[in-house]
Amino acid sequence: MELESLTIDGTRAAVASGEITANELANLHYERIDARDGEINSFLALSRERALGQAAKIDAMAAKGDALPALGGVPVGIKDVLVMQGAPATAGSLILKGYRPPYDATAVGRLEAAGAVLLGKLNCDEFAMGSSNENSAYGPVLNPRALDRVPGGSSGGSAAAVAANLAVATLGTDTGGSIRQPAAFCGVVGVLPTYGRVSRYGLIAFASSLDRVGPFTKNVKDAATVLQVLAGHDVMDATSSDRPVDDYVGGLEKPVEGLRIGVPAEYFGEGLDLEIRGAIEGVLAGLKTVGCVIKPVNLPHTKYAIPTYYVIATAEASSNLSRFDGVRFGLRDAEAKTLSEMFRRTRDAGFGAEVKRRILLGTYALSAGYYDAYYKKAQQVRTLLTRDFLTAFAEVDVLVAPVTPTPAFKLGEKTDDPVKMYLEDIYSVAASLAGVCGISVPCGETKDGLPIGVQVIGRHFDEATMLRVAQAVETGQLR
Ligand code: GLN
């Protein structure tokens, strides 16, 4: 069986018809992981027993002729910031070494309940802080499309595993771009659902007002299928929405003719790679030929998005990460003579440089005397950034923009300069701050063969329209 072309529909159909068993399919993926992942480094832990147990259940259903659920037999991988009962959960950090959570994240449980086979846990930047996957304590992930390049981050392992056909779909998280950017760098589809659409229960928190869980897949229809399974209210997450979930998969059939596509001028300025600009212009021309109306719009506060994000995200991180104290989870220093020395030594040994930088930045922004100047100001600007989107969405149905200013960069290229790395997020963080939904869809390659992604940004809770436009972009590609 060709794993390269295996989609969710294809997997389900093959397992249902008996062409292949879920067990064989899981083992084929494990063989491929053994063969290829030594180089790519996308998986941190494999959950063979659980995967094969689930595969047996699916095979029993198929043998009886029962209809398979939406993800029946589909091999998936989980970013290592989402917990799976009994499996190691490191969040890419040494401080969680040895921690085995006693429960499943809601997103993980929903995938399995829909028939998915959970292959294992995927590498990522430490606590999801980064844009290149070079901040993992367990080594960088390489981009399967160009092994001297980063896969993007922080969900680098999740994007790379799909791109290398080590899983049919994966889960990632996006706080300021961590699904969309690695999807663009690796040439796969990645979805940022609206804040509140997918439960965060069981997600190791980075910045709680920004963190979101979403899928990576090989095409838009698969993304709609996984999102359909993930979306919906969860009593375990107070920020999860009880709005009804639209029919994402069925909605893909509707024509895009007449939809108004906004093109934000601020996303096409200085610093945008010319080949990426060209590819996005090609997408817009294609959407016009299928009857979409292309309209220029403005998101005037965009230039404040990066500083605003790096104040709010670090402030929340400094608070969230205070729980890793050597007492409750994972690592504990054995040499210390006093409790406070134990806290200090555990945190010093357990956290990497970027995480420490952010805890310091965030603590500073929240400290008495600086709170108003930094944290409060950032919250006010966040409101203005959100209004920019609401104003634009009064005129248009979706926005189309680049995901990243450059294609995948070389390993080590930006590690010396944190600000350079933060600027990677220039087209992704505003949508994160505003809470709207977004998707990255492959839309071409550079002349060096590096993937290019286009971002479609939708209104709050209007994933259906966003996915529909994304699908039009994708079919435009195949024409
Ligand atoms: N690159 C951004 C950061 O480093 C976004 C990370 C994310 O979305 N988790 O914070």
Side-chain angles (χ1 to χ4, degrees), residues 79 125 127-132 135 153-155 173-181 206 211 309-310 313 354 358 421-422 424-425 428-429 432:
K79 184 180 181 181
D125 282 304
F127 288 104
M129 297 174 186
S131 306
S132 67
N135 294 337
S154 63
S155 315
T173 62
D174 189 316
T175 303
S178 280
I179 290 177
R180 292 160 289 160
Q181 185 251 20
F206 160 14
D211 293 344
Y309 170 82
Y310 277 96
E354 182 61 27
R358 294 194 189 202
M421 193 69 94
Y422 297 170
E424 248 319 291
D425 307 328
S428 55
V429 289
S432 298

Side-chain angles (χ1 to χ4, degrees), residues 16 54 100 110 172 187 214 228 246 262 288 312 339 361 432:
Q54 167 83 342
R100 294 203 179 228
R110 286 194 182 184
Q228 200 85 56
D246 289 335
K288 200 168 166 194
I312 293 175
L339 184 62
L361 269 171
S432 298

Side-chain angles (χ1 to χ4, degrees), residues 385-398:
L385 283 157
T386 307
R387 275 193 209 147
D388 280 358
F389 281 94
L390 296 178
T391 308
F393 282 133
E395 308 272 316
V396 297
D397 299 299
V398 295

Side-chain angles (χ1 to χ4, degrees), residues 58-71:
I58 299 295
D59 286 333
M61 288 177 77
K64 271 201 290 171
D66 291 349
L68 295 185
L71 304 178

